[in-house]
Amino acid sequence: MKKFIKISALCLFIIILGGFSGIVADRFLMPWLSSKDSFNRFAFFKKANENVTVINKTEQIVVQEDSSIIKTAQNILPSVVKIVSYKDDLNDDKKNDGFKEIKSSQDIQKSVKTGLIITNDGLIMSVGKKDVQLKNEPETELKYKILLSNNREFDAELVLFDEYSELEFFKATEENLPTPTFGNSMELESGEKVVIVGNTGGEYQNNFSSGLISGVELTYTLLNSQLSSSEKIEGAILSDIEIDDKNVGGPVVDFNGKVVGIANLIVKDGEQEGFIMPINKLKNTIDRVVRGEEIKRAKLGLYYLSISKEIALISDLSVSKGALVYSFSGQQGLAVKQGSSADLAGIKIGDIILAVNDVEITLDRSLSSLISEIPPGEKIKLKILRGEKEIELEFFLG
């Protein structure tokens, strides 16, 4: 019996080994031999090669990027609000049978803007020019209503307009409001995706715009000019996103869901230009308002070009940093405002301001940013390059 089992096991092993050898020979050995010139001339190997089909299998791996705009911005959506301004006639006799006439759709658009809640006790931020009472309507004042995405609404008042950054701040007596997370705009790179959230569409309706960062322009100015002002923020993030009245004032969100800028729109050379104000350049102003500080900006009163390596080469300047007091017309009065602190201190067109209170002026630390941190009435020291001579001027800011 044992002998029979041994013989059976041996036979089974031989069968398995033979089958495996046949597979190896058929799939690998014969095709390999038939590919050799010395064997391919024999019909037997030609036939073996004809029966082999080579299949090139391509395995596709799909890497899916979670690029859902809404998902990216969902963390800050509750803090994006709509700000509606409307006139309140103090004299009831001026009311027109219970309703007020709307002259055009532009009237509606001008009365609605996007805002962002920045503190849970009702401090809201947006951008734009200061709302002022019209001179020809002395008995009319503007009021503001804040509309939230969860159907909440409440009154607010304009508490501050900062001319330097063009930020507006509204305050409402509300509690437990949602707030966003702020990111670091200095970490943004060209080609990175961002999302702008606006809220000026239908009732409580957000709108989204997505695109790529095309670059950071440190010398970008809020003026209708290529010149910079000593009283205006300088520097912007540029993108291919269309920025218009529907998303101005809205937060710019990176793909980590953090606010890295605020959308703004200005007119340059007769055309509207959209840009992004980097959140890092706004944080100082925001923090001061949150702390309840009264923001008063000193006024130097001049226009300048922030010197870069390109401007230094084109203008044959001896330095590659600083602020060149300048006017494209070459007129002193268009470079230095008459009667301003700069004018009274004797600053001239063509002067290059190198430092403010011993802090060197660079593209990252512009003249306007250094002046914005100084309160009016304070004495400052400017290091100036006039021709080939360095001089220092000390005077009080207006």
Side-chain angles (χ1 to χ4, degrees):
M1 185 65 181
K2 291 182 179 180
K3 186 176 181 180
F4 175 75
I5 293 174
K6 289 182 179 180
I7 295 173
S8 299
L10 180 61
C11 292
L12 181 60
F13 174 75
I14 293 172
I15 293 171
I16 293 174
L17 182 62
F20 179 75
S21 301
I23 293 173
V24 172
D26 182 59
R27 294 292 180 90
F28 302 102
L29 182 60
M30 296 301 290
W32 180 77
L33 290 175
S34 64
S35 66
K36 304 299 180 182
D37 293 337
S38 56
F39 292 96
N40 197 34
R41 63 177 181 269
F42 298 106
F44 174 77
F45 289 103
K46 284 184 179 181
K47 186 175 181 180
N49 195 35
E50 290 173 357
N51 291 332
V52 175
T53 302
V54 178
I55 300 176
N56 292 323
K57 183 179 179 182
T58 302
E59 195 170 308
Q60 185 176 13
I61 300 175
V62 179
V63 179
Q64 185 174 2
E65 179 185 358
D66 185 9
S67 58
S68 170
I69 293 177
I70 295 179
K71 187 172 182 180
T72 299
Q74 66 181 355
N75 291 335
I76 62 100
L77 289 183
S79 59
V80 180
V81 301
K82 182 182 299 182
I83 303 171
V84 181
S85 61
Y86 60 96
K87 296 175 183 178
D88 182 46
D89 289 332
L90 301 180
N91 188 346
D92 290 338
D93 293 337
K94 288 188 175 183
K95 294 185 178 180
N96 184 16
D97 296 330
F99 72 91
K100 300 171 186 177
E101 183 180 358
I102 298 174
K103 296 180 181 179
S104 68
S105 59
Q106 291 182 349
D107 288 346
I108 300 175
Q109 190 63 56
K110 289 178 181 178
S111 300
V112 181
K113 65 174 62 178
T114 301
L116 182 68
I117 300 171
I118 55 176
T119 64
N120 60 11
D121 62 349
L123 188 62
I124 298 159
M125 177 177 66
S126 187
V127 297
K129 302 298 182 182
K130 185 177 183 180
D131 294 305
V132 295
Q133 185 171 321
L134 299 177
K135 289 182 180 180
N136 59 348
E137 296 184 26
E139 295 184 349
T140 301
E141 66 177 11
L142 286 176
K143 288 194 171 184
Y144 303 92
K145 184 76 74 172
I146 308 298
L147 308 182
L148 278 68
S149 58
N150 60 358
N151 294 330
R152 288 180 65 184
E153 59 180 67
F154 45 80
D155 295 321
E157 62 175 322
L158 178 65
V159 293
L160 176 68
F161 172 74
D162 179 39
E163 291 186 2
Y164 168 71
S165 62
E166 295 193 353
L167 290 178
E168 286 183 328
F169 294 90
F170 300 83
K171 186 66 173 69
T173 54
E174 295 291 320
E175 299 291 339
N176 300 320
L177 295 177
T179 58
T181 301
F182 291 103
N184 185 356
S185 56
M186 294 183 66
E187 295 179 350
L188 291 175
E189 298 180 355
S190 297
E192 186 172 341
K193 283 186 178 181
V194 291
V195 178
I196 300 178
V197 183
N199 193 335
T200 59
E203 189 172 6
Y204 311 115
Q205 182 178 349
N206 290 311
N207 53 72
F208 305 91
S209 303
S210 177
L212 301 177
I213 297 296
S214 56
V216 177
E217 192 169 324
L218 296 174
T219 60
Y220 195 91
T221 170
L222 292 180
L223 297 179
N224 183 18
S225 169
Q226 298 305 313
L227 292 175
S228 296
S229 165
S230 53
E231 280 71 63
K232 290 290 185 181
I233 193 172
E234 190 176 4
I237 298 169
L238 305 181
S239 75
D240 61 0
I241 306 175
E242 182 179 357
I243 297 176
D244 53 27
D245 292 332
K246 294 181 180 179
N247 54 20
V248 164
V252 181
V253 186
D254 65 13
F255 267 61
N256 292 318
K258 296 181 179 180
V259 176
V260 291
I262 301 294
N264 203 351
L265 186 68
I266 60 174
V267 176
K268 277 187 179 288
D269 299 324
E271 296 185 359
Q272 286 190 327
E273 286 186 10
F275 66 100
I276 298 168
M277 295 193 296
I279 200 64
N280 286 43
K281 287 186 172 290
L282 304 177
K283 279 182 177 178
N284 180 265
T285 300
I286 295 171
D287 290 343
R288 291 172 66 180
V289 176
V290 170
R291 290 194 298 265
E293 296 180 13
E294 185 179 6
I295 296 181
K296 291 184 177 181
R297 308 283 192 187
K299 296 185 183 299
L300 180 58
L302 55 79
Y303 299 98
Y304 65 92
L305 285 171
S306 287
I307 299 175
S308 61
K309 291 182 179 179
E310 293 83 0
I311 290 178
L313 288 170
I314 294 171
S315 303
D316 193 25
L317 301 178
S318 59
V319 293
S320 58
K321 297 177 183 178
L324 172 64
V325 181
Y326 196 74
S327 164
F328 289 115
S329 66
Q331 298 181 43
Q332 167 75 9
L334 295 179
V336 181
K337 294 180 181 179
Q338 187 174 4
S340 66
S341 299
D343 183 36
L344 297 176
I347 296 176
K348 300 178 181 180
I349 187 172
D351 284 350
I352 299 175
I353 304 175
L354 302 174
V356 177
N357 291 339
D358 296 323
V359 179
E360 185 183 40
I361 294 173
T362 64
L363 293 180
D364 291 319
R365 291 285 283 163
S366 66
L367 173 64
S368 64
S369 69
L370 294 174
I371 296 298
S372 72
E373 298 171 2
I374 303 173
E378 187 168 310
K379 191 175 185 179
I380 67 165
K381 180 176 65 175
L382 299 184
K383 181 187 292 185
I384 294 176
L385 180 64
R386 180 173 292 171
E388 297 180 354
K389 183 180 179 181
E390 278 192 16
I391 63 174
E392 286 190 353
L393 296 178
E394 291 192 42
F395 57 95
F396 292 94
L397 283 173

